[in-house]
Structures are given as structure tokens and as C-alpha cells.
Amino acid sequence: MSASVHLTTHNLDALKFNTATTRRNSQRVRIGAVRCSVSTAETEDSSRRTAEAEARRVTLKNGGDSLDISRVLNGMWQTSGGWGAIDRNGAVEAMLRYADAGLSTFDMADHYGPAEDLYGMFINRVRRERPPELLEQIRGLTKWVPPPVKMTSNYVRENINLSRKRMDVSSLDMLQFHWWDYSNSGYLDALKHLTDLKEEGKIKTVALTNFDTERLQIILENGIPIVSNQVQHSIVDMRPQQKMAELCEATGVKLITYGTVMGGLLSEKFLDTNLSIPFAGPPLNTPSLQKYKRMVDAWGGWGQFQVLLKTLKKVASKHGVSIPTVAVKYILDQPAVAGSMVGVRLGLSEHVKDSNAVFALELDEEDVNSILEVSKKGRDLMEVIGDCGDEYRR
């Protein structure tokens, strides 16, 4: 109202109170009000865009180490074989499309087939063909999964240098470390050597993948500046919220989650299907689908999983999004979770629209409670499997 009155007074002064302006003045009051309304709408739209932009990225920190990443990460396990042949040029073109759409964090590993090499090709294309502003947003997170041999400084250095060479970077944005055998304390030696490499500038941040709560605490007590732990986490697998999240909240370590859409099982594609009848449903024809079907079986079986899918579909329809979008947003809203992985089948299929829809989605209390109710009806996977990462050490 005050904005309209101010505008009207200004108009009256400009017209020197011409007695013939009474009718036109009332029109200008209405015009002023419209202008004020448009300005408010623009402000609200700008605020929404700012909030969405802030929701897209998160900063991982430990001491003086920090790295900002996209909250939805592009997972590159699918390049390791088993999902179809990868055309390298086509894969790089797909990576560029993800980056152009704002999905600029890529997660890979030394053993994911050509993943690190593809990233090297991709980052060079970005350097040559994209503006510096986009290059500044690109992040390449890799993993090192060594055999449990003696972790000497030279051995660690050689392997990290190999990843740096393949990815064509002077410094790895993040090195996520995995260890197979906790009875071998060599993981502490490896992490200390990785920390030394970080101090030399060859790694920007040191992180973990598939470590349990007990070992994470030991590592932190040994002064290793861990910024995150990548673990399996979905509506079906809520183990990280039982012990791990509490330690993370207390120490500032964040969780990066994978398996969040369960290889595609948490999608409309598997809604109202019966896998007990041969050839009646979509084939489980990828390593990820087969892996997460075993998780479904451990959690409650296909019948209970259908109840979950129907619940997610109801929530998704309410917000005009897909089941995978709801599944990712639900996990992103969990304590200590910084980012969630969505696997990318580069050059074969894309999920840009669903992934970007996550940032605008807000689940209300009714949505959360309905999902939680179904999730709790499944078995406690902490009792069935153990803590985070124990599925790899049984």
C-alpha cells in the first residue's frame, strides 16, 4: 500500500496537481499497485531461485579442509561393465549435458572400468569448451580400494598418482578410501599417507567409503581429517541413521549416500509388478538391480516393497514428480546427509530432469510420516546385516 501511495504522490507532483487528473490519478493508483505486485512476485521468484541454488550445493569441512559439491551426485559405477557397452565419446557428451544442467559432481573409483579416464576426457572438454564459471563448479570424487597389503608411503603415492594422471588433474578433489579387513590395521597407515599427500597438495580432501561407526571414530581419534563417509542409504536401508549419523553430527563428518534409488528399483518401472512370475516383470539385468533386490528380500520381500512403491507414488503424484525424486529427497533430508548418488548410464539413459527436480521438492509432514510408517514395517537391517559397510565384510 505504501508503495502505491508513494508512486501516486510522485505522479501528482509531476502533473502539478492538474485538476483534470482525478480520474487518471485513480488509474495510476491501480497501476502503481500492479507494479508493486509484480515487484513482489519478482522478489519471491528471485528468493526461490536463490534458495534452490543454495539447496543444490553443500560444503564438506574438517579443520582447514573443505570442498563444496552438488547435493545430487552423478555416480559412475555403471561404467565398470554389466550395464551395457560404453562409447567413450558418447559418455563424455552425456557428462557435459549433466554438467550444463547444474549436476556437476561426478563420483567414480579406481576400479570402475574407464571412469577416471572418462573424467579426464570430460574435464579437458570443459576446459576448452565451457566458461570458467562452469569449470569452477566441476568436482571429481574418486575412490581407492587397495588390497590389504602393507601400506607404505611409496605404494600409496604411486596409486594416487595413477588416479591423478587418469583424471588429468594436479590435485584430486576428494579421495575416498575403502578397506576390506578391519583386523589389519594398515588402514590407519594408508590414511596417514593420504593425509601427507593432502598436505603436499595432491589431494584436496580425504574421505572414506563403507566404513562402520566404530572404525570412523578410531580414524578421527587418530587425527585423520575425514570430511565424509560414503555409505549405502535408502528408504529401505536406514542403517546409517542408527549409529553413524549420531557420530557424524557430533564430529561434523558428512554422509554421501549411494543405493538411494536402489539401482532403479525405487521407480515407477517396478510399481505393480510381480517378480515371482517368470518374465512377468522388468528383468533384473544389471548388477545394481540384482544387488538391491537382495536388499529388498532382506528388508521385507517384494510384497512389502510394493506397499512402499505405492506410498511413494502417492507422494510423487501429489508434488508432480517421480518416485526416484521423492526417494532421493527423503534421504537428503536425513541427519548428517550431505549428498546422494544417482547412477548415470552415460550415453544409454539420462536422469537429468528427475535429479534437478529434487532441489525444488519440499516434503511435508504428511509425506514424511507416510513414508516412515511403511519403512518401519520392514526388518531392521542393522540386525540382519550389521553396521554400514558390513555387507562387504561378512
Side-chain angles (χ1 to χ4, degrees):
M1 174 66 76
S2 60
S4 300
V5 171
H6 175 74
L7 179 63
T8 303
T9 303
H10 175 77
N11 289 341
L12 287 172
D13 289 341
L15 292 170
K16 301 184 184 298
F17 296 95
N18 190 311
T19 55
T21 63
T22 304
R23 183 164 54 88
R24 281 179 291 172
N25 180 49
S26 72
Q27 291 174 340
R28 285 187 172 84
V29 171
R30 291 194 295 272
I31 292 171
V34 170
R35 285 177 179 171
C36 182
S37 174
V38 169
S39 177
T40 301
E42 289 174 349
T43 300
E44 291 175 351
D45 186 54
S46 176
S47 298
R48 179 188 60 77
R49 289 196 303 270
T50 299
E52 187 174 322
E54 291 174 350
R56 296 184 73 93
R57 298 186 76 85
V58 63
T59 300
L60 311 176
K61 296 181 180 179
N62 189 321
D65 301 338
S66 67
L67 184 74
D68 75 298
I69 63 171
S70 173
R71 294 206 71 198
V72 176
L73 299 88
N74 306 311
M76 295 179 67
W77 180 31
Q78 285 76 0
T79 65
S80 61
W83 285 265
I86 293 289
D87 174 78
R88 292 196 173 204
N89 291 328
V92 171
E93 289 290 344
M95 293 174 75
L96 288 167
R97 288 193 292 273
Y98 275 95
D100 289 338
L103 301 165
S104 55
T105 300
F106 296 84
D107 179 89
M108 65 212 81
D110 60 339
H111 63 290
Y112 286 2
E116 290 184 335
D117 296 301
L118 290 172
Y119 183 85
M121 295 168 63
F122 157 75
I123 199 66
N124 272 300
R125 289 279 303 275
V126 174
R127 289 166 182 156
R128 294 194 308 267
E129 303 171 12
R130 297 298 190 271
E133 294 78 15
L134 179 59
L135 179 60
E136 291 174 0
Q137 297 291 311
I138 303 295
R139 300 289 180 267
L141 285 51
T142 195
K143 306 180 194 74
W144 183 40
V145 185
V149 298
K150 186 173 180 60
M151 293 288 113
T152 66
S153 176
N154 284 339
Y155 182 77
V156 174
R157 183 182 297 273
E158 288 171 2
N159 281 274
I160 298 312
N161 283 342
L162 180 59
S163 288
R164 290 170 57 226
K165 180 179 180 180
R166 294 179 68 189
M167 296 173 68
D168 199 15
V169 294
S170 59
S171 180
L172 301 176
D173 289 328
M174 177 185 288
L175 191 287
Q176 300 166 101
F177 177 71
H178 175 88
W179 191 250
W180 294 106
D181 182 9
Y182 291 147
S183 67
N184 180 343
S185 62
Y187 66 89
L188 289 173
D189 296 326
L191 285 164
K192 288 174 182 177
H193 295 317
L194 289 172
T195 302
D196 290 339
L197 291 173
K198 178 187 69 68
E199 295 301 320
E200 293 178 19
K202 292 180 172 58
I203 300 170
K204 293 176 183 175
T205 53
V206 177
L208 303 174
T209 180
N210 291 316
F211 272 79
D212 65 8
T213 309
E214 179 183 348
R215 253 55 60 161
L216 173 58
Q217 183 161 356
I218 290 171
I219 290 166
L220 292 172
E221 288 172 353
N222 275 267
I224 308 298
I226 299 300
V227 298
S228 64
N229 185 22
Q230 186 178 137
V231 295
Q232 183 173 293
H233 195 355
S234 68
I235 296 171
V236 165
D237 187 359
M238 295 294 291
R239 287 177 296 157
Q241 293 304 317
Q242 296 196 36
K243 291 172 63 178
M244 180 68 68
E246 183 178 0
L247 177 60
C248 289
E249 293 277 86
T251 60
V253 174
K254 295 297 184 181
L255 297 176
I256 295 176
T257 74
Y258 66 87
T260 308
V261 296
M262 306 189 73
L265 289 178
L266 285 172
S267 68
E268 282 81 359
K269 181 177 181 179
F270 288 91
L271 178 63
D272 295 326
T273 61
N274 185 352
L275 296 187
S276 65
I277 302 174
F279 309 109
L284 302 178
N285 57 358
T286 68
S288 52
L289 286 172
Q290 294 159 12
K291 172 183 178 178
Y292 294 114
K293 172 58 165 58
R294 292 193 292 271
M295 284 293 165
V296 168
D297 294 340
W299 173 72
W302 197 250
Q304 183 61 28
F305 188 67
Q306 285 299 309
V307 176
L308 174 59
L309 285 178
K310 290 175 182 176
T311 301
L312 293 176
K313 181 60 178 176
K314 182 178 179 180
V315 174
S317 297
K318 170 182 169 181
H319 293 281
V321 296
S322 69
I323 288 175
T325 297
V326 174
V328 172
K329 177 61 175 175
Y330 184 84
I331 296 302
L332 281 178
D333 286 346
Q334 298 301 310
V337 174
S340 290
M341 203 87 58
V342 176
V344 290
R345 299 179 66 181
L346 299 172
L348 300 175
S349 62
E350 295 188 9
H351 313 291
V352 171
K353 182 179 178 180
D354 284 346
S355 293
N356 270 330
V358 171
F359 303 114
L361 175 61
E362 292 293 336
L363 298 176
D364 60 32
E365 185 176 358
E366 179 185 28
D367 302 328
V368 172
N369 288 340
S370 65
I371 295 169
L372 183 61
E373 181 181 359
V374 180
S375 177
K376 285 186 172 180
K377 289 181 179 178
R379 298 188 189 98
D380 181 354
L381 293 185
M382 181 74 86
E383 295 181 359
V384 177
I385 300 172
D387 200 359
C388 299
D390 282 359
E391 60 269 30
Y392 297 102
R393 300 177 180 90
R394 300 177 69 190

